[in-house]
C-alpha cells in the first residue's frame, strides 16, 4: 500500500502546480494588457519620459516582455522627434526573443515603424533588411494584421523602386493594395481607408522621385478614389479631406509637368490652390515641387518666405539634410527669379548655419554609441534584478513543494517520528540552499563583467556593419561586390556606394588604429561621404570637405586613407581622388592587371586647410577596378611573413574571373591560406567593380 499512496501524493502535488502555473499565465496576460494600457495613456498626454520610466518598471516586474518594453521606448522617442534614438530602441526590440503571441504583435509594430524610419532617411537597403524578415515571421507564425502586411509591403515596394528593382516593387505594391482592401472591407470604421490613402501617397511619391511619372499617375488616381471612399464613412475626419486633396493635386501637377503636359499640370495646380491646405506653410512648401519644375520661380520664391516659420512649427533642427532639402532650393528659387538681394540673404543664411550643422552631424555617431552603452547598462541592471527575483521565486517554490511532499510522506509512514524527520529534512534544505547561493554568487562575480563587455561590443559591431551596404545594385552593365572583415569586434575599415541616377559614387577607406576609437572615426567618415556625395560634389572636393570636418577638434590625431570615385555609367568617365590610400589595381580586355599611378595626396584628418587633387580616367568601361585596404597585402602568417603586392598582382593577372564576386572570394581564400590559422593582424576590406 506504500507505493500507491506515495504516487497519489506526488500526482496531487503536480496537479496543484499545474493549476497554479495556468493561473499565473492567465494573470501574466492580464497584467501585460493592463501595463500596455497604462503606458499608452501616459503617451496620450505626451509625458514621454514617464513612458520610458514605466517601460523600465514593468519590464523589471515581468508585466511586459523585453521586446514590448523596447518597442514602447521607441514609440516615446519617435513622438519626441528623436528619430535616431527611436531607431536604436526599435532595433533592440527586433533583436529580442519572441516568446508569446503578444510579442509577435509588438514585433510587427516595431518592424513597421523602423522600416518606415529607414525608408524616409533614404537607407533603402537597411529598410529592406528590417521589413522583409518581418513579413516572413508573420507568414510563419500566422500572427499579423492586414495593416501590418500592407504597411511593410508598401515600404518594401518603395525601397525596391529606389534600388531599381521595378518588377519586384510593382508586385509588392499590388500585394499591399490587396491587404489594404481586406482591411477596409472587414472594418466598419473609416480607419482602413485613411491608412490606405497614406500608403498610396507614399507609393505615388516614390514613383515621382524616380521620375516615373506615368506610373505615378495611376497611384495618384487611386489615392483620390480611396479619399472619396473615405469621405463616405460616418466617422471620417473632415479636416483630413482638404489636406490630402491638396497633396493629390500637387502630386498630379508635378507628374503632368514631368510628362510634358504643362496645360494639364497648370489646371491641377489651380485645383490645389482652391484647397485650404495650399495656404498653409507645409502646403506652400510642397507646392514648390511643381513651381520649380514649371520654372515659375517667382511664385516659388514667394512661398519660401514662410519657410523659417514652417520649420519651427515642425520642430526641425537645421541639419545638413534640411539645408539640402529646404534652404538650397530657397536660394535657387530666388536666384532663378532674379531676386539677387533675397538670394544673397538666403546664401548668407546657409553659410551662417553650415558650420554648426556639420559639427552636429559629426557628433551624431558618437552620441548614438554613448546612448547604446547607457541603454545596455540599464538593461543589464534590469536583467540582473529580474534574474534575482526569478531565482528567489524558483527556490521558494521548490522548497515549498519539497516540504509539502516530505511532510505528507513522513506523516503517512512515520507519524510518530514526523517532527524529528521534518527538522532533519529542513536542515538539509538550508544547507543545500547555502551551497547553491554561494555557487551563484561566485558565478555572477566571474561572468557578469565579461558578458556585459562582450554584449556591448557585439552591438557596436552590428551598428558598424549596418553602416556599410551589403545589398548591391542590380543594374544592366554594372557589376559590384565588396567584403569587409574587422580584425577585432569593431574596426576602422569602410566602404560605401551611392547611386544617383546614372552616377555611381563609391569609396574605400582605412582608419588609423583599430577597435572602438577607429570605429567611431569610421562612422563619422562614412556619414560625411554619403552626405557630401548626395550634393553631387567631385571626389577631390568631397575629400577636401571631409578633411576640413575631421581635422576639427581631432585631438587624438586620427586619420583615414580614402579612395573616392565617381563614375558616369553612361559615358564611362571616372573622376577619382586618392587620399593616401593603397593604389587600386585596374585590368581591362587585352590589358594586364597593374597598380594605378596617382597623385600623392595626404590622408584625410591630419592637417587642416589641404586642397586635395583629383584625377580622371576618360573611359573605364570594359575594365575591372579593384580597391582594397592594407589588411590584404600586409596580412601576416605565424612567421610574420606578409601576403605582399607581388602575390596580389600575380593572382589578378593570371586569374580568370566571371564577375567581381569571384575576384574577392578568390583573394579571401588566398589570404586565409597564407595566414594558415594565424589571427588577423589588421582589418580587411575589398571592393571590386566593372562597367560593361
Amino acid at each position: 500500500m506504500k507505493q500507491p499512496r506515495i504516487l497519489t501524493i506526488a500526482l496531487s502535488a503536480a496537479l496543484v502546480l499545474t493549476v497554479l502555473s495556468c493561473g499565473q499565465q492567465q494573470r501574466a496576460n492580464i497584467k501585460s494588457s493592463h501595463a500596455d494600457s497604462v503606458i499608452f495613456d501616459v503617451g496620450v498626454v505626451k509625458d514621454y519620459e514617464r513612458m520610458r520610466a514605466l517601460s523600465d518598471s514593468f519590464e523589471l516586474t515581468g508585466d511586459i516582455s523585453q521586446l514590448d518594453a523596447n518597442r514602447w521606448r521607441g514609440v516615446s522617442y519617435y513622438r519626441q522627434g528623436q528619430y535616431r534614438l527611436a531607431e536604436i530602441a526599435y532595433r533592440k526590440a527586433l533583436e529580442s526573443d519572441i516568446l508569446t503571441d503578444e510579442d509577435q504583435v509588438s514585433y510587427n509594430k516595431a518592424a513597421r515603424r523602423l522600416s518606415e524610419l529607414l525608408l524616409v532617411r533614404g537607407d533603402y537597403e537597411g529598410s529592406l533588411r528590417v521589413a522583409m524578415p518581418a513579413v516572413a515571421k508573420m507568414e510563419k507564425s500566422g500572427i499579423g494584421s492586414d495593416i501590418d502586411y500592407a504597411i511593410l509591403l508598401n515600404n518594401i515596394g518603395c525601397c525596391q523602386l529606389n534600388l531599381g528593382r521595378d518588377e519586384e516593387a510593382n508586385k509588392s505594391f499590388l500585394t499591399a493594395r490587396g491587404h489594404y482592401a481586406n482591411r477596409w472591407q472587414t472594418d466598419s470604421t473609416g480607419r482602413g481607408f485613411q491608412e490606405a490613402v497614406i500608403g498610396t501617397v507614399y507609393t505615388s511619391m516614390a514613383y515621382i522621385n524616380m521620375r516615373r511619372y506615368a506610373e505615378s499617375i495611376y497611384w495618384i488616381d487611386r489615392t483620390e478614389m480611396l479619399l472619396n471612399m473615405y469621405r463616405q464613412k460616418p466617422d471620417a475626419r473632415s479636416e483630413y479631406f482638404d489636406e490630402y486633396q491638396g497633396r493629390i493635386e500637387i502630386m498630379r501637377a508635378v507628374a503632368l509637368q514631368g510628362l510634358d503636359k504643362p496645360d494639364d499640370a497648370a489646371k491641377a495646380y489651380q485645383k490645389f490652390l482652391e484647397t485650404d491646405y495650399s495656404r498653409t506653410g507645409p502646403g506652400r512648401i510642397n507646392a514648390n515641387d511643381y513651381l520649380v519644375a514649371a520654372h515659375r520661380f517667382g511664385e516659388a520664391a514667394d512661398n519660401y518666405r514662410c519657410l523659417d516659420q514652417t520649420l519651427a512649427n515642425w520642430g526641425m533642427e537645421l541639419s545638413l539634410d534640411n539645408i539640402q532639402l529646404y534652404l538650397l532650393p530657397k536660394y535657387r528659387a530666388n536666384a532663378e527669379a532674379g531676386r539677387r538681394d533675397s538670394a544673397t540673404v538666403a546664401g548668407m543664411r546657409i553659410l551662417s548655419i553650415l558650420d554648426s550643422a556639420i559639427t552636429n552631424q559629426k557628433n551624431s555617431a558618437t552620441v548614438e554609441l554613448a546612448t547604446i552603452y547607457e541603454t545596455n547598462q540599464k538593461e543589464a541592471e534590469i536583467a540582473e534584478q529580474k534574474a534575482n527575483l526569478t531565482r528567489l521565486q524558483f527556490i521558494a517554490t521548490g522548497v515549498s513543494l519539497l516540504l509539502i511532499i516530505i511532510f505528507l510522506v513522513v506523516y503517512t509512514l512515520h507519524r510518530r517520528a514526523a517532527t524529528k524527520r521534518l527538522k532533519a529534512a529542513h536542515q538539509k534544505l538550508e544547507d543545500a540552499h547555502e551551497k547553491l547561493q554561494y555557487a551563484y554568487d561566485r558565478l555572477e562575480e566571474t561572468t557578469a563583467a565579461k558578458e556585459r563587455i562582450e554584449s556591448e561590443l557585439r552591438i557596436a559591431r552590428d551598428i558598424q556593419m549596418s553602416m556599410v551596404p551589403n545589398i548591391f545594385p542590380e543594374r544592366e552593365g554594372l557589376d559590384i561586390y565588396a567584403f569587409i572583415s574587422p580584425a577585432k569586434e569593431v574596426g576602422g575599415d569602410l566602404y560605401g556606394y551611392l547611386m544617383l541616377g546614372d552616377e555611381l559614387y563609391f569609396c574605400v577607406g582605412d582608419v588609423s588604429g583599430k577597435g572602438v576609437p577607429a570605429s567611431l572615426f569610421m562612422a563619422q567618415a562614412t556619414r560625411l561621404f554619403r552626405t557630401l556625395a548626395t550634393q553631387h560634389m567631385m571626389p577631390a572636393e568631397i575629400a577636401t570637405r571631409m578633411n576640413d570636418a575631421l581635422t576639427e577638434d581631432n585631438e587624438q590625431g586620427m586619420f583615414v586613407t580614402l579612395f573616392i570615385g565617381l563614375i558616369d555609367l553612361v559615358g564611362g568617365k571616372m573622376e577619382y581622388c586618392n587620399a593616401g590610400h593603397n593604389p587600386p589595381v585596374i585590368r581591362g580586355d587585352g590589358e594586364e592587371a597593374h597598380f594605378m599611378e596617382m597623385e600623392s595626396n595626404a590622408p584625410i584628418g591630419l592637417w587642416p586647410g589641404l586642397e586635395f587633387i583629383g584625377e580622371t580616367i576618360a573611359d573605364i568601361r570594359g575594365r575591372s577596378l579593384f580597391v582594397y585596404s592594407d589588411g590584404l597585402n600586409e596580412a601576416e602568417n605565424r612567421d610574420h611573413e606578409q601576403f605582399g603586392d607581388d602575390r596580389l598582382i600575380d593572382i589578378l593577372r593570371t586569374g580568370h574571373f566571371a564577375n567581381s564576386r569571384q575576384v574577392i572570394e578568390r583573394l579571401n581564400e588566398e589570404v586565409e591560406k597564407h595566414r594558415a590559422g594565424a589571427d588577423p593582424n589588421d582589418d580587411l576590406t575589398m571592393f571590386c567593380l566593372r562597367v560593361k
Side-chain angles (χ1 to χ4, degrees):
M1 292 298 291
K2 291 182 180 180
Q3 185 174 355
R5 184 170 296 181
I6 294 173
L7 180 60
T8 301
I9 293 170
L11 289 174
S12 299
L15 180 60
V16 169
L17 283 180
T18 302
V19 173
L20 288 174
S21 175
C22 292
Q24 289 173 351
Q25 182 64 44
Q26 282 186 328
R27 286 194 297 274
N29 293 338
I30 294 171
K31 287 165 66 179
S32 174
S33 177
H34 173 70
D36 284 339
S37 298
V38 171
I39 298 173
F40 177 85
D41 291 341
V42 172
V44 170
V45 297
K46 300 182 180 180
D47 190 352
Y48 303 118
E49 293 291 340
R50 178 66 175 160
M51 282 184 74
R52 291 191 284 275
L54 286 172
S55 299
D56 294 345
S57 177
F58 285 139
E59 182 186 3
L60 173 61
T61 58
D63 292 334
I64 58 176
S65 67
Q66 183 185 51
L67 191 157
D68 205 27
N70 278 314
R71 180 181 71 85
W72 280 118
R73 294 180 188 115
V75 170
S76 69
Y77 283 128
Y78 180 87
R79 293 182 182 175
Q80 280 185 301
Q82 299 185 44
Y83 300 123
R84 297 296 290 175
L85 297 181
E87 178 184 336
I88 292 170
Y90 284 130
R91 286 191 186 279
K92 285 184 173 293
L94 300 188
E95 292 168 0
S96 302
D97 294 331
I98 300 175
L99 304 177
T100 64
D101 292 350
E102 289 77 14
D103 280 348
Q104 181 65 56
V105 173
S106 291
Y107 178 94
N108 299 344
K109 294 178 180 178
R112 279 168 43 185
R113 184 64 72 189
L114 179 56
S115 66
E116 178 183 294
L117 281 171
L118 297 173
L119 169 62
V120 171
R121 201 174 71 203
D123 185 2
Y124 306 120
E125 298 93 345
S127 182
L128 284 176
R129 287 196 295 270
V130 171
M132 297 186 76
V135 171
K137 285 181 181 291
M138 288 195 298
E139 291 175 347
K140 183 178 180 180
S141 66
I143 300 172
S145 65
D146 281 304
I147 193 60
D148 291 334
Y149 278 106
I151 292 176
L152 284 167
L153 287 166
N154 205 73
N155 292 346
I156 290 171
C158 289
C159 293
Q160 291 168 333
L161 188 63
N162 279 280
L163 292 172
R165 294 153 60 178
D166 296 357
E167 293 184 5
E168 296 175 57
N170 186 58
K171 182 178 178 181
S172 298
F173 287 140
L174 293 177
T175 308
R177 186 180 70 178
H179 284 289
Y180 278 127
N182 290 340
R183 164 73 165 172
W184 73 63
Q185 288 169 3
T186 57
D187 188 355
S188 60
T189 70
R191 181 67 176 171
F193 289 105
Q194 184 180 354
E195 293 163 339
V197 168
I198 296 172
T200 50
V201 165
Y202 271 112
T203 306
S204 304
M205 289 305 303
Y207 278 108
I208 288 174
N209 291 338
M210 296 299 293
R211 300 183 180 179
R212 304 282 291 279
Y213 300 117
E215 291 97 328
S216 70
I217 290 293
Y218 167 82
W219 289 101
I220 292 168
D221 290 340
R222 180 164 183 81
T223 304
E224 186 170 34
M225 178 198 73
L226 292 169
L227 184 62
N228 290 331
M229 295 171 71
Y230 178 51
R231 293 179 196 269
Q232 310 305 317
K233 288 293 182 177
D235 63 330
R237 293 163 43 208
S238 58
E239 69 275 11
Y240 189 88
F241 305 146
D242 182 84
E243 176 184 347
Y244 275 84
Q245 189 65 51
R247 290 177 179 271
I248 288 168
E249 296 302 339
I250 202 63
M251 288 192 299
R252 182 178 283 116
V254 173
L256 290 170
Q257 187 70 31
L259 292 171
D260 199 20
K261 297 180 179 180
D263 293 337
D264 293 337
K267 292 177 182 178
Y269 180 65
Q270 187 59 41
K271 290 183 179 180
F272 164 76
L273 293 177
E274 295 170 4
T275 65
D276 294 335
Y277 177 69
S278 69
R279 292 180 287 279
T280 66
R284 295 177 67 184
I285 300 304
N286 288 339
N288 286 348
D289 292 341
Y290 162 71
L291 293 174
V292 171
H295 293 177
R296 295 166 65 169
F297 298 110
E299 295 172 67
D302 290 339
N303 282 345
Y304 274 125
R305 291 174 181 171
C306 69
L307 177 61
D308 289 344
Q309 184 60 49
T310 301
L311 292 179
N313 293 339
W314 286 341
M316 285 189 175
E317 63 180 6
L318 290 173
S319 63
L320 291 176
D321 290 339
N322 289 333
I323 291 173
Q324 180 185 5
L325 288 173
Y326 299 109
L327 296 186
L328 288 177
K330 178 179 179 179
Y331 170 83
R332 181 193 172 196
N334 281 284
E336 295 286 356
R339 301 178 182 178
R340 296 184 177 179
D341 292 342
S342 297
T344 300
V345 171
M348 294 301 295
R349 170 72 169 152
I350 292 171
L351 291 175
S352 68
I353 64 175
L354 190 58
D355 286 343
S356 60
I358 291 175
T359 300
N360 291 338
Q361 203 81 0
K362 284 171 57 180
N363 293 334
S364 63
T366 303
V367 172
E368 289 170 26
L369 285 177
T371 302
I372 290 172
Y373 290 145
E374 181 182 353
T375 304
N376 286 344
Q377 184 176 6
K378 185 198 307 181
E379 290 183 352
E381 292 172 358
I382 291 174
E384 183 177 359
Q385 294 180 44
K386 288 177 66 176
N388 289 336
L389 288 173
T390 302
R391 184 166 60 252
L392 291 174
Q393 291 172 353
F394 174 79
I395 293 174
T397 302
V399 170
S400 299
L401 176 61
L402 192 56
L403 285 173
I404 291 172
I405 294 174
I406 291 174
F407 173 77
L408 292 175
V409 172
V410 172
Y411 181 82
T412 303
L413 301 177
H414 307 282
R415 181 179 298 178
R416 295 179 181 178
T419 302
K420 180 179 178 181
R421 291 177 180 272
L422 184 58
K423 288 181 179 180
H426 183 69
Q427 185 60 47
K428 290 181 180 180
L429 285 173
E430 286 185 348
D431 294 341
H433 174 72
E434 289 179 0
K435 292 179 180 179
L436 181 61
Q437 186 63 48
Y438 179 83
Y440 271 123
D441 291 342
R442 300 288 78 73
L443 180 62
E444 288 177 354
E445 290 174 2
T446 56
T447 62
K450 179 181 178 181
E451 290 177 351
R452 183 159 52 252
I453 293 172
E454 289 178 348
S455 175
E456 290 173 353
L457 288 174
R458 283 196 301 271
I459 293 171
R461 179 188 179 95
D462 292 342
I463 291 174
Q464 185 182 19
M465 289 299 100
S466 70
M467 293 180 183
V468 296
N470 56 21
I471 297 177
F472 303 102
E474 298 179 1
R475 178 184 172 119
E476 182 69 27
L478 178 61
D479 176 21
I480 292 181
Y481 193 74
F483 170 83
I484 187 168
S485 178
K488 297 184 177 181
E489 288 80 358
V490 292
D493 275 13
L494 64 106
Y495 73 84
Y497 74 86
L498 193 64
M499 292 280 293
L500 298 175
D502 292 327
E503 293 182 336
L504 171 67
Y505 282 88
F506 66 93
C507 71
V508 176
D510 183 1
V511 175
S512 59
K514 303 179 185 67
V516 172
S519 73
L520 294 176
F521 204 80
M522 169 267 193
Q524 295 184 50
T526 301
R527 178 62 178 170
L528 283 171
F529 164 74
R530 291 184 65 87
T531 300
L532 296 173
T534 58
Q535 300 178 35
H536 297 276
M537 294 183 180
M538 289 294 102
E541 185 177 2
I542 292 175
T544 301
R545 295 289 186 87
M546 289 181 66
N547 186 68
D548 292 342
L550 293 175
T551 52
E552 184 178 347
D553 298 327
N554 186 8
E555 297 178 357
Q556 303 301 321
M558 299 192 72
F559 61 88
V560 57
T561 66
L562 200 64
F563 183 90
I564 306 172
L566 166 60
I567 298 177
D568 177 2
L569 297 177
V570 176
K573 182 179 180 181
M574 184 175 84
E575 303 280 353
Y576 66 93
C577 177
N578 190 62
H581 199 71
N582 293 333
V585 179
I586 193 167
R587 172 184 178 181
D589 297 334
E591 174 187 16
E592 279 196 348
H594 61 279
F595 292 107
M596 293 173 58
E597 295 183 0
M598 296 171 295
E599 288 286 343
S600 57
N601 290 303
I604 293 173
L606 281 178
W607 302 288
L610 295 180
E611 289 291 335
F612 286 77
I613 299 174
E615 301 176 76
T616 304
I617 292 179
D619 193 349
I620 200 172
R621 290 177 296 181
R623 308 169 81 183
S624 294
L625 181 69
F626 178 71
V627 194
Y628 58 95
S629 68
D630 56 14
L632 173 61
N633 57 329
E634 296 181 6
E636 296 182 350
N637 58 19
R638 297 181 185 274
D639 297 326
H640 302 289
E641 297 172 342
Q642 293 189 347
F643 189 77
D645 291 340
D646 292 341
R647 186 178 308 187
L648 167 61
I649 204 71
D650 182 63
I651 293 171
L652 293 177
R653 281 175 177 170
T654 59
H656 299 283
F657 308 105
N659 52 47
S660 297
R661 181 168 185 164
Q662 288 186 8
V663 174
I664 290 177
E665 289 179 345
R666 168 69 184 284
L667 284 169
N668 196 32
E669 290 174 1
E670 293 294 334
V671 168
E672 290 298 325
K673 187 186 301 182
H674 172 72
R675 286 198 186 115
D679 291 333
N681 58 301
D682 199 356
D683 305 329
L684 170 60
T685 300
M686 295 182 282
F687 183 97
C688 186
L689 67 82
R690 181 182 178 89
V691 182
K692 298 182 181 177

